[in-house]
Amino acid sequence: MNTFAENSGRVADAPSDNWVYRVLPRAAWPYAQLARWDRPIGWQLLMWPCFWSSALAANVLQGEGRLSLALFAFHLVLFFIGSVAMRGAGCTYNDLVDHEIDMAVARTRSRPLPSGRVSRLQAKLFMAAQALTGLFVLLCFNGFAIGLGVLSLAIVAIYPFAKRFTDWPQFFLGLAFSWGGLMGWAGLFGALSLPAVLLYIAAVAWTIGYDTIYAHQDKEDDALIGVRSTARLFGENTRAWLVGLYGLTLVLLAAAFFAAGAGLLAFAGLLAAGGMFIYQIAVLDIDDAAQCLDLFKSNSRVGAIIFLGLLAALPFA
């Protein structure tokens, strides 16, 4: 058993001063770690495309005089709860699939499963409880959105295996993590249209970009055990790839906003996000694991500024 985990009950790649360790009883810590409650960045990045899509749809409805602010706010709450629950279920599933790989990687061997602090049966039951929470949230939407949400499960199921058969596992993560880019629009309209599709593809490109930065933390261990990633594929050309991926994100989001008739303040949010992308690319050192983690986390602020731009544009739609 990993000494760090055995002695402290914490995991090596998460903050040790997190609220999880201050608030929850020690017996609950392994489950909180399985769900990554000690690392909120994951559910935040899952949530932002939902919020973007819902806010963009709200701008259209506001312009048509048909927006229910109460319904819009309710959907944001649902997306928050659903993001936390489904990110937790997905991480638990991923840990079950990657049990042996995590034992071989220094950064992950202190996690609950490889360290032996939870059994596979306990992890499966916890995953089911989180998935049921996500199902409850999904059933609060219209029928079209419910069906759309169910379709995403196929991609979620494939993603943990992608690193075994492709150099582009980040693409599969993008397909799964960006699904909210469709769900927000579908939740308010009960259908999909061009702006939502453009926003979804933009979020996929964004996800590939930020998760490539994240994957540079593990590239040495990944090479030893045969795990594939865009970090290993791009290598020293990562910065150039990020220019393309982040540039595509901004172009497609701008096209989505234009197609939906979003106001100038929405584009101002995009401009600010572009500045944040430029900073990430300019300072990136792919051999500095700590910096890669910090830059990866900064993408939550990117998501927030894009959402705030759409929110600020709402009264003028």
Side-chain angles (χ1 to χ4, degrees):
M1 178 174 296
N2 183 274
T3 303
F4 181 92
E6 184 178 23
N7 292 340
S8 71
R10 290 164 168 78
V11 290
D13 61 339
S16 294
D17 60 347
N18 190 268
W19 70 269
V20 163
Y21 308 114
R22 298 193 302 270
V23 176
L24 297 182
R26 190 181 180 98
W29 291 2
Y31 298 98
Q33 292 160 357
L34 280 172
R36 308 294 196 271
W37 293 343
D38 53 345
R39 281 168 283 184
I41 181 63
W43 65 255
Q44 291 167 359
L45 292 173
L46 181 62
M47 180 186 74
W48 289 126
C50 305
F51 275 32
W52 299 349
S53 184
S54 191
L56 186 59
N59 270 266
V60 175
L61 290 171
Q62 175 74 357
E64 297 173 352
R66 298 192 295 126
L67 177 63
S68 166
L69 286 174
L71 181 63
F72 173 51
F74 178 55
H75 281 191
L76 295 183
V77 172
L78 289 177
F79 284 129
F80 164 70
I81 297 170
S83 295
V84 174
M86 293 311 295
R87 188 263 186 146
C91 286
T92 305
Y93 173 66
N94 192 73
D95 282 5
L96 284 162
V97 173
D98 286 349
H99 192 166
E100 293 185 6
I101 290 177
D102 285 346
M103 292 178 71
V105 176
R107 185 176 63 84
T108 58
R109 66 171 61 106
S110 60
R111 289 179 178 176
L113 274 168
S115 67
R117 286 178 291 125
V118 295
S119 68
R120 290 185 64 84
L121 176 60
Q122 290 169 323
K124 289 175 182 177
L125 291 173
F126 182 54
M127 178 182 68
Q130 294 174 93
L132 285 173
T133 302
L135 177 61
F136 174 78
V137 168
L138 183 61
L139 293 177
C140 293
F141 289 98
N142 60 61
F144 181 85
I146 291 171
L148 190 64
V150 171
L151 288 177
S152 71
L153 295 179
I155 302 170
V156 172
I158 293 170
Y159 164 65
F161 300 98
K163 64 175 71 73
R164 294 164 171 81
F165 64 80
T166 178
D167 291 323
W168 290 85
Q170 281 70 27
F171 171 70
F172 286 88
L173 178 68
L175 293 178
F177 250 56
S178 305
W179 203 258
L182 302 174
M183 291 293 296
W185 187 279
L188 287 177
F189 275 108
L192 289 178
S193 55
L194 181 61
V197 175
L198 291 172
L199 190 150
Y200 173 67
I201 301 171
V204 172
W206 179 48
T207 305
I208 297 171
Y210 69 61
D211 202 62
T212 295
I213 295 174
Y214 182 83
H216 271 290
Q217 297 176 92
D218 297 328
K219 57 181 180 285
E220 288 83 6
D221 284 332
D222 287 349
L224 289 173
I225 61 179
V227 168
R228 300 159 77 174
S229 72
T230 49
R232 293 184 60 202
L233 178 66
F234 299 165
E236 296 298 326
N237 295 318
T238 293
R239 184 174 280 109
W241 276 94
L242 288 177
V243 170
L245 289 164
Y246 283 164
L248 182 62
T249 300
L250 293 171
V251 168
L252 289 174
L253 284 176
F257 291 5
F258 181 78
L264 287 178
L265 290 175
F267 289 93
L270 274 189
L271 187 64
M276 298 167 82
F277 284 150
I278 291 171
Y279 173 79
Q280 288 184 40
I281 295 167
V283 304
L284 176 65
D285 179 355
I286 60 173
D287 296 316
D288 184 340
Q291 189 222 44
C292 286
L293 181 60
D294 287 342
L295 290 178
F296 162 74
K297 288 181 177 180
S298 73
N299 279 281
S300 184
R301 294 192 290 275
V302 173
I305 199 68
I306 293 172
F307 171 66
L308 289 174
L310 286 165
L311 208 60
L314 197 56
F316 307 100

